[in-house]
Amino acid sequence: MLSRVRVWLNRTYAENVFFMDQLRRNPSDRAVEIHATHGDPDSPVLAAADTADLEPEGLSPAAYVEYALDQCARRGIDVFVPRLHQAAIVRHRAEFAAVGTALLAPTPEAVAVFEDKATAYEAVGSVGVPVPPWWRVRTADELLGAVEELEAAGHKACFKPAAGAGGVGFRVITRTPFSLAGLEGFPSPYVQLDLVVEALRRSGQPVDWLVMPRLEQPEVSVDCLTGTDNRLRLAVGRTKNGRRRGFTLDDRWLEPARLIAEGFGLHHLSNIQFRMFDDRPVLLDVNTRPAGGLHQLSLCGVNAPWAAVQLALGEDPGVVEPPFLGQDYTVVAGPRSLLPAALPRQREAEIVLPLPAQVPSAVEALPL
């Protein structure tokens, strides 16, 4: 009889409750126990886990590595899926292996390349992956120069932090003066150029932004599973065009994703995003972690989280081919259980939690 597998997800996205569900419903019928930690006591991943802890706040990356090693040793973690402080953690892979824990994460070199978007664009451009025009700006004058050059070529300019995730800090530049119309409806990503320039000059502090043309839809996020031998095991594109979502195996998207995943040591799970520029796909971003929407591949008959855990354990699943491509869909919110509100924000004792009642949704429909 195969032993249970103990998996830890640290400070992960709320949407990864579905990642956890898929691990438990794995096609190998293997017992899986999940440990989750978070800084937010109301994160649904804490309630969805078998055991849960609140993480201490304010730890340096080095101190967090010590905390993580202790968690793995005390709780018998077989596979650790790090999100917070991933860069520091992967540099200590051998120490985690010494306590019996495999890291489901890329190489330190890959994490370093893709932590910084400018470094990433330079690197992937060198292997032939198309990237959009971009400028790294730190001052108001540099911002103005980049915007003017883009506008002269007929493009709409946008900017985002050179480091970051989840679209945080993304803004689209407009020269339309601010008016009451800007206060109607929902908040917009558009920001007036004169207000940004004024704020930059008033602050006296440099920024670290990438300025580029606003890219067009569709957006295609290619979920990749790559072995430590640098061979791709799985690549499926998830398309986004407004509310409509779908899937693709078109080489226009998959081939550049393969070049990146295999060429830069993006071992285990990664997510490589593309958009359109001048009628061709260009790289948007590279995530060196599982995407929050990875579970949506269940609509194609694929359990990617379990295949990744198998690979981390040295049980190579081989090439994972989706048996079919699911029909187009959309994403809607649904309720999930939380832990009781009376729990203290910091605790040392282990909390053993029952599995929550499952709330069905379109994305969870397939029992993989």
Side-chain angles (χ1 to χ4, degrees), residues 23 78 113 124 159 167 173 182 193 211 217 241 251 279 287 289 314 321 349 358:
L23 288 182
D78 298 300
V113 167
V124 302
F159 66 88
I173 291 288
L193 178 60
V211 177
Q217 292 185 329
N241 202 335
D251 275 342
D279 298 321
N287 295 309
R289 51 165 177 78
E321 298 275 2
Q358 298 298 311

Side-chain angles (χ1 to χ4, degrees), residues 122-341:
E122 289 174 348
V124 302
S126 71
V127 298
V129 174
V131 299
W134 59 274
W135 291 257
R136 190 169 201 157
V137 305
R138 292 183 169 84
T139 68
D141 289 340
E142 289 176 349
L143 173 68
L144 280 170
V147 171
E148 287 169 357
E149 193 163 345
L150 278 169
E151 290 178 342
H155 302 299
K156 189 179 293 291
C158 63
F159 66 88
K160 59 185 176 181
V168 175
F170 171 79
R171 298 292 186 274
V172 181
I173 291 288
T174 179
R175 291 183 183 264
T176 303
F178 184 76
S179 68
L180 286 177
L183 301 178
E184 296 174 354
F186 293 102
S188 164
Y190 284 86
V191 63
Q192 283 68 29
L193 178 60
D194 58 337
L195 297 181
V196 178
V197 170
E198 179 186 353
L200 279 172
R201 288 181 171 153
R202 190 171 59 243
S203 75
Q205 300 294 319
V207 294
D208 191 7
W209 294 342
L210 291 192
V211 177
M212 62 183 62
R214 186 175 189 185
L215 304 176
E216 300 301 322
Q217 292 185 329
E219 180 177 318
V220 178
S221 293
V222 182
D223 293 307
C224 296
L225 176 63
T226 310
T228 55
D229 57 0
N230 292 328
R231 286 195 302 109
L232 201 65
R233 304 302 198 275
L234 166 71
V236 180
R238 289 183 287 113
T239 65
K240 303 177 186 178
N241 202 335
R243 178 173 287 187
R244 181 171 292 271
R245 310 293 180 90
F247 302 100
T248 181
L249 295 177
D250 191 323
D251 275 342
R252 288 193 308 158
W253 314 100
L254 267 56
E255 180 58 21
R258 183 191 65 78
L259 287 173
I260 294 170
E262 294 185 342
F264 290 95
L266 280 175
H267 300 163
H268 304 293
L269 287 170
S270 60
N271 176 257
I272 303 171
Q273 301 169 358
F274 301 90
R275 273 196 172 222
M276 299 297 293
F277 177 70
D278 286 348
D279 298 321
R280 65 170 182 160
V282 295
L283 181 69
L284 176 63
D285 205 358
V286 175
N287 295 309
T288 60
R289 51 165 177 78
L294 178 69
H295 62 279
Q296 293 162 16
L297 296 189
S298 65
L299 295 176
C300 298
V302 171
N303 189 325
W306 179 245
V309 165
Q310 286 183 297
L311 196 58
L313 292 172
E315 304 166 6
D316 195 334
V319 176
V320 181
E321 298 275 2
F324 52 87
L325 291 184
Q327 67 182 49
D328 286 0
Y329 64 102
T330 191
V331 175
V332 296
R336 296 289 299 202
S337 301
L338 295 179
L339 294 178

Side-chain angles (χ1 to χ4, degrees), residues 101-134:
T101 301
L103 296 182
L104 202 157
T107 64
E109 294 78 12
V111 174
V113 167
F114 295 108
E115 270 189 314
D116 181 279
K117 292 178 173 60
T119 303
Y121 283 161
E122 289 174 348
V124 302
S126 71
V127 298
V129 174
V131 299
W134 59 274

